[in-house]
Amino acid sequence: MTSQSTHCGRAHRWLGALAACLLVTSSALAARFEHPSGLGFDYPGNWQLQSQEDLLILSPPDARGGQDQELILVGGENLGGITRVDDPRLLQWFDQQMQSLLGPVRRGGFQSLGGSGARIDYSAGQATHVVRYRFKGPLGVFVVHVNSSAGNARVADQVFASLGGELARDPNLVGLWTRTSTSGTDITYTGGGSGSFVASETRKAYRFAADGQVLYSASSTIFGQVSGAGANSTLLGEGDPNVDRGEYVANGETLWILWADGAWSEWQYRVFQTHDGGIALKLTTPGSKKP
């Protein structure tokens, strides 16, 4: 059985919005960020890594701050079905993000990096900003080199080249999970042995596939009865089912669903055996104790 959480109203950058842990290797020259979703990247051990709002921010050891500060930003986005690196919608999205982040910028060259990767150059006065991105499952993952310098261009290349991993899947989730709930009014007696009531039944279901796809559906039925004068009548109404498709990531503790419309949902979850020998799925929204 499962409970449904309201889908978030807007997409979030995956790595930044979910940043939760940092694993530093024993080498003094190399560190690695590992996210519970299964994605991660390498970066220089003497660079500082911070999480700010929707992004992970890398700054070099000689960082002095200011508008001309050199930074490497790492993030991810649910691309809502975009599959081509040169899709105009994707380029426009990066234009909007860069302008929101840095103010007026001008898009320059576009270069395919082979496979599902690409590079976009931006400029603002004497400053150069470089975006590198690729597809990873349903996500677009990207590395933005702000105020790019020739000395650190290789660092940005290495961060981008290492950005990847396998999205976590939990085989315990695979299958169909349903929850049915019923609510109704008390019987109202109108005299003469007649009475009436109205009730509704709601059924919600998640079907998790082994390949990471998920199908959610919800339907409701309203029924009731009016009796009197020796006759009974049944009222029945069924609403159109609500169906959503997406792709899920689950690591045994946290479940994320990236919906096809660009929204995403997050739960803490647990699969367990019930007292009657069945198997149940418990979903709890972050910060809530009510499943």
Side-chain angles (χ1 to χ4, degrees):
M1 299 180 67
T2 184
S3 59
Q4 161 72 359
S5 170
T6 302
H7 301 169
C8 296
R10 68 181 183 90
H12 290 260
R13 295 184 182 90
W14 187 256
L15 292 177
L18 303 178
C21 72
L22 175 64
L23 176 64
V24 179
T25 68
S26 58
S27 171
L29 299 178
R32 183 163 181 84
F33 171 85
E34 293 282 4
H35 186 266
S37 68
L39 299 184
F41 59 87
D42 299 327
Y43 65 97
N46 60 345
W47 285 50
Q48 184 179 14
L49 176 63
Q50 295 177 306
S51 174
Q52 182 174 328
E53 296 183 353
D54 294 334
L55 292 170
L56 294 169
I57 303 174
L58 287 166
S59 53
D62 57 352
R64 292 185 294 271
Q67 293 184 346
D68 59 348
Q69 170 64 52
E70 185 174 11
L71 299 170
I72 294 177
L73 313 178
V74 184
E77 183 74 20
N78 183 1
L79 298 177
I82 295 177
T83 58
R84 286 179 27 233
V85 294
D86 60 348
D87 190 307
R89 295 171 295 172
L90 186 57
L91 301 180
Q92 292 171 5
W93 183 84
F94 276 113
D95 290 348
Q96 295 169 357
Q97 299 303 312
M98 294 296 286
Q99 291 181 18
S100 175
L101 180 68
L102 301 170
V105 295
R106 182 172 61 87
R107 191 206 307 165
F110 171 88
Q111 176 187 0
S112 174
L113 301 178
S116 61
R119 166 179 168 153
I120 311 174
D121 293 326
Y122 290 89
S123 63
Q126 299 299 315
T128 299
H129 316 292
V130 180
V131 173
R132 300 165 177 84
Y133 65 94
R134 70 159 62 96
F135 298 116
K136 186 64 180 177
L139 301 173
V141 293
F142 54 85
V143 171
V144 181
H145 194 180
V146 176
N147 293 310
S148 174
S149 69
N152 288 322
R154 184 181 179 186
V155 172
D157 281 333
Q158 292 172 335
V159 171
F160 178 71
S162 69
L163 179 55
E166 295 300 325
L167 293 172
R169 309 290 191 207
D170 184 353
N172 291 319
L173 279 176
V174 175
L176 176 65
W177 303 88
T178 64
R179 176 185 175 91
T180 301
S181 57
T182 303
S183 62
T185 64
D186 294 332
I187 296 179
T188 301
Y189 293 99
T190 57
S194 63
S196 63
F197 73 92
V198 177
S200 64
E201 181 180 88
T202 300
R203 182 179 186 273
K204 300 178 181 180
Y206 287 90
R207 183 180 294 277
F208 295 97
D211 64 357
Q213 300 300 306
V214 58
L215 176 67
Y216 167 77
S217 63
S219 60
S220 60
T221 302
I222 299 176
F223 57 93
Q225 181 171 295
V226 177
S227 62
N232 295 325
S233 61
T234 300
L235 308 176
L236 177 64
E238 186 168 358
D240 294 332
N242 175 34
V243 178
D244 285 322
R245 298 178 184 273
E247 187 160 347
Y248 71 93
V249 179
N251 65 357
E253 296 180 358
T254 305
L255 167 66
W256 300 279
I257 298 181
L258 287 77
W259 301 102
D261 64 0
W264 67 278
S265 302
E266 177 182 353
W267 295 273
Q268 302 301 306
Y269 76 97
R270 183 167 68 93
V271 177
F272 61 97
Q273 188 170 16
T274 61
H275 295 298
D276 60 3
I279 301 296
L281 170 63
K282 177 181 178 181
L283 299 177
T284 308
T285 56
S288 173
K289 295 182 179 181
K290 184 178 181 180

